[in-house]
């Protein structure tokens, strides 16, 4: 490309960006695309790459992967290192061309040879994931190391993570910490990882809450939702108001997991059950499965909303479809009791049996109680008190307060007084909760069961 053509192509590129961003010109994607196309045809590789990116990212409407592939090919023919990498991505993902992992690796490696350190990360990820190619962690580590040595922050982060977990390499937490620190300034993930290391401690360093807060705060201020949840967890024991600020901020950015966590703590701290219901509903509607179950419980027990058994039954079924086992016995009870639906003992037994098969002792314990009640009262099965007591005793051994009370009611000699208070009972509204309500890493709650 001669100097005049280069100047013209650069000018067209700048004008295209002005129309795209609406700088000094009214935003106009049609003009932006036309100008970028002209610049690309004059041989400016960055115009070909950017236009290809717009096609891939659907900034330009329509299925235009083939157009993107052509544009990246044009840049590749001019020897542009980033075009090599983008073309490799097309072969890796099957954008506009049939997937070809060996070809993708070949192009990524050429891009590295031309000076594109970012491509090291792409190569390492292919070997680490092992999709359409044999997984090879040793090769992944080699490419992460190569990228790290060239100063690539993503490679550094993943290499440090491998050292931290001992994945594909001998575990070395101090080395992981060293790398995270070296690349912490502008890499949010590294900041979060440092927070985790200081929060948990290392073999040579005790946990340091102050340092953990420092690094989680840096990451959180850069928009990292997981770090916000970690801060909420830490501040729970230091400053509940500050904890809730972080939970709310996370929830406002992530309407799924973080919204659930915020809703959970609003309920747990008895701050605002109406607000808790609103955020739980938001999380459930965004397909976070634990929230779907708890929303069912909120409707069933009237927490932050009027009791609505039809909606409770609906959300329990949604959660059950997504494999959330805590929902099973609740569904069974609706069929057993005929509340809002016709009594169906066969279906009730089906759901109780499904819950009994769970590995979760809380789920299994409650289901064994319900199953025992079915035999005790002859609901859908032949009445059998001995068999019923057998199920209730099994349930009692798993700490189910329902079973303990039922056995006391049947015969005070069946259960000794020292076993009566195996479970802690806390009343919140009209829920009786007998297992600790806790959030693990901001996301998972223990089982809630209404007596």
């Amino acid at each position: 490309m001669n100097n005049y053509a280069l100047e013209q192509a650069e000018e067209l590129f700048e004008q295209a960006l002005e129309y795209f961003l609406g700088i000094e010109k009214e935003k106009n994607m049609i003009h932006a695309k036309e100008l970028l196309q002209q610049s690309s045809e004059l041989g400016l590789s960055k115009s070909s790459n950017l236009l290809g990116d717009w096609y891939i990212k659907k900034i330009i409407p329509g299925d235009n992967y083939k157009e993107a592939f052509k544009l990246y090919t044009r840049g590749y023919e001019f020897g542009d290192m980033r075009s090599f990498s983008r073309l490799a991505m097309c072969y890796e993902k099957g954008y506009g061309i049939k997937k070809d992992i060996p070809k993708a690796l070949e192009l990524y490696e050429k891009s590295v040879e031309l000076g594109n350190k970012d491509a090291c990360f792409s190569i390492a990820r292919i070997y680490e994931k092992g999709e359409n190619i044999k997984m090879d962690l040793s090769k992944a580590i080699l490419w992460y190391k190569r990228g790290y040595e060239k100063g690539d922050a993503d490679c550094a982060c993943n290499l440090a993570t491998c050292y931290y977990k001992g994945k594909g390499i001998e575990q070395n937490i101090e080395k992981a910490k060293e790398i995270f620190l070296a690349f912490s300034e502008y890499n949010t993930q590294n900041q979060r990882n440092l927070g985790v290391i200081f929060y948990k401690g290392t073999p040579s360093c005790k946990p340091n809450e102050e340092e953990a807060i420092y690094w989680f705060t840096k990451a959180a201020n850069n928009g990292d939702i997981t770090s916000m949840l970690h801060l909420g967890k830490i501040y729970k024991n230091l400053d509940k108001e500050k904890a809730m600020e972080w939970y709310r901020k996370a929830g406002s950015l992530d309407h799924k997991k973080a919204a659930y966590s915020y809703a959970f703590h609003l309920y747990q701290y008895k701050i605002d059950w109406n607000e808790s219901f609103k955020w739980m509903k938001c999380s459930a509607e965004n397909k976070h499965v634990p929230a779907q179950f708890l929303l069912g419980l909120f409707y069933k027990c009237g927490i932050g909303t009027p009791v609505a058994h039809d909606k409770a039954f609906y959300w329990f079924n949604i959660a059950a479809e997504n494999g959330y086992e805590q929902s099973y016995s609740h569904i069974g009870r609706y069929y057993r009791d005929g509340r809002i639906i016709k009594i169906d003992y066969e279906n009730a037994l089906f759901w109780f049996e499904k819950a009994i098969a769970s590995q979760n002792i809380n789920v299994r314990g409650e289901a064994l109680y319900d199953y025992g009640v079915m035999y005790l009262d002859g609901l859908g099965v032949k009445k059998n008190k001995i068999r019923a007591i057998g199920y209730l005793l099994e349930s009692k051994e798993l700490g189910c307060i329902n079973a303990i009370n039922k056995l006391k009611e049947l015969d005070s000699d069946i259960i000794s007084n020292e076993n009566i208070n195996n479970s802690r009972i806390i009343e919140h509204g009209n829920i009786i909760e007998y297992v600790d309500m806790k959030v693990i890493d901001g996301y998972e709650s223990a089982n809630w069961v209404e007596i």
Side-chain angles (χ1 to χ4, degrees), residues 314-372:
Y314 169 80
W315 282 107
F316 286 143
N317 274 281
I318 293 293
E321 285 171 12
N322 289 311
Y324 205 74
E325 297 173 331
Q326 283 90 332
S327 292
Y328 297 167
S329 285
H330 287 278
I331 296 170
R333 288 169 200 149
Y334 274 107
Y335 281 116
R336 179 193 65 196
D337 301 338
R339 189 185 287 176
I340 71 132
I341 54 171
K342 187 178 178 181
I343 287 175
D344 185 340
Y345 293 137
E346 188 177 343
N347 246 325
L349 288 165
F350 167 81
W351 284 104
F352 292 145
E353 287 166 4
K354 198 171 170 69
I356 287 169
S358 170
Q359 296 300 306
N360 183 317
I361 62 170
N362 294 320
V363 172
R364 194 162 72 253
E366 277 299 303
L368 284 163
Y369 162 76
D370 286 306
Y371 211 61

Side-chain angles (χ1 to χ4, degrees), residues 180-407:
F180 283 139
L181 280 167
F183 285 80
S184 64
E185 191 60 33
Y186 303 106
N187 189 291
T188 300
Q189 192 174 347
N190 286 345
Q191 293 164 355
R192 181 215 306 156
N193 290 334
L194 283 166
V196 171
I197 286 174
F198 282 110
Y199 182 69
K200 292 183 175 180
T202 72
S204 63
C205 179
K206 290 182 180 179
N208 186 324
E209 202 168 74
E210 189 177 334
E211 279 291 321
I213 288 173
Y214 172 79
W215 288 107
F216 282 138
T217 302
K218 280 183 79 74
N221 287 335
N222 286 326
D224 186 68
I225 293 166
T226 303
S227 293
M228 294 175 194
L229 292 172
H230 276 299
L231 286 168
K233 184 178 179 180
I234 293 172
Y235 277 117
K236 274 200 299 184
N237 300 320
L238 303 174
D239 183 340
K240 283 187 179 175
E241 191 174 328
K242 203 162 190 177
M244 293 308 294
E245 282 179 20
W246 282 114
Y247 282 132
R248 181 180 176 82
K249 188 169 183 178
S252 66
L253 294 172
D254 172 16
H255 293 163
K256 193 173 181 179
K257 293 180 178 179
Y260 163 76
S261 186
Y262 182 51
F264 183 92
H265 287 93
L266 282 168
Y267 174 83
Q268 187 183 42
Y269 297 148
K270 302 182 183 180
I271 294 172
D272 187 332
W273 288 358
N274 293 329
E275 192 74 1
S276 176
F277 168 78
K278 184 183 83 173
W279 283 88
M280 195 67 75
K281 189 169 185 284
C282 171
S283 179
E285 289 172 345
N286 278 282
K287 301 182 179 179
H288 188 51
V289 181
Q292 292 169 344
F293 166 69
L294 289 179
L295 184 60
L297 204 58
F298 278 25
Y299 276 121
K300 183 178 180 180
C301 302
I303 299 171
T305 184
V307 170
H309 289 295
D310 56 338
K311 292 178 180 177
F313 186 68
Y314 169 80
W315 282 107
F316 286 143
N317 274 281
I318 293 293
E321 285 171 12
N322 289 311
Y324 205 74
E325 297 173 331
Q326 283 90 332
S327 292
Y328 297 167
S329 285
H330 287 278
I331 296 170
R333 288 169 200 149
Y334 274 107
Y335 281 116
R336 179 193 65 196
D337 301 338
R339 189 185 287 176
I340 71 132
I341 54 171
K342 187 178 178 181
I343 287 175
D344 185 340
Y345 293 137
E346 188 177 343
N347 246 325
L349 288 165
F350 167 81
W351 284 104
F352 292 145
E353 287 166 4
K354 198 171 170 69
I356 287 169
S358 170
Q359 296 300 306
N360 183 317
I361 62 170
N362 294 320
V363 172
R364 194 162 72 253
E366 277 299 303
L368 284 163
Y369 162 76
D370 286 306
Y371 211 61
V373 169
M374 297 290 277
Y375 274 96
L376 193 64
D377 297 336
L379 305 177
V381 291
K382 189 175 180 180
K383 200 168 186 177
N384 189 325
K385 185 176 180 180
I386 293 173
R387 193 168 181 182
I389 288 174
Y391 287 123
L392 292 172
L393 286 169
E394 272 192 78
S395 177
K396 186 261 308 181
E397 289 304 317
L398 295 174
C400 177
I401 195 73
N402 299 22
I404 293 169
N405 290 334
K406 179 61 73 174
L407 287 164

Side-chain angles (χ1 to χ4, degrees), residues 5 24 125 149 163 225 290 304 332 342 379 400 422 433-434:
E24 296 183 2
R125 288 293 288 159
E149 288 162 1
Y163 274 119
I225 293 166
K342 187 178 178 181
L379 305 177
C400 177
N422 279 353
E433 177 207 2
Y434 69 93

Side-chain angles (χ1 to χ4, degrees), residues 29-77:
M29 273 304 299
I30 295 173
H31 287 339
K33 176 190 170 184
E34 289 172 351
L35 290 165
L36 215 54
Q37 185 73 46
Q38 292 172 32
S39 177
S40 171
E41 288 168 359
L42 286 170
L44 191 65
S45 296
K46 66 180 179 182
S47 294
S48 300
N49 291 335
L50 182 56
L51 189 55
D53 293 347
W54 286 359
Y55 282 127
I56 292 288
K57 295 174 182 177
K58 307 289 186 183
I59 292 171
I60 300 172
D63 184 7
N64 291 301
Y65 287 154
K66 288 185 178 178
E67 285 300 316
F69 182 80
K70 288 177 187 175
L71 287 159
Y72 294 148
T73 301
R74 183 181 293 164
Y76 161 76
E77 288 168 350

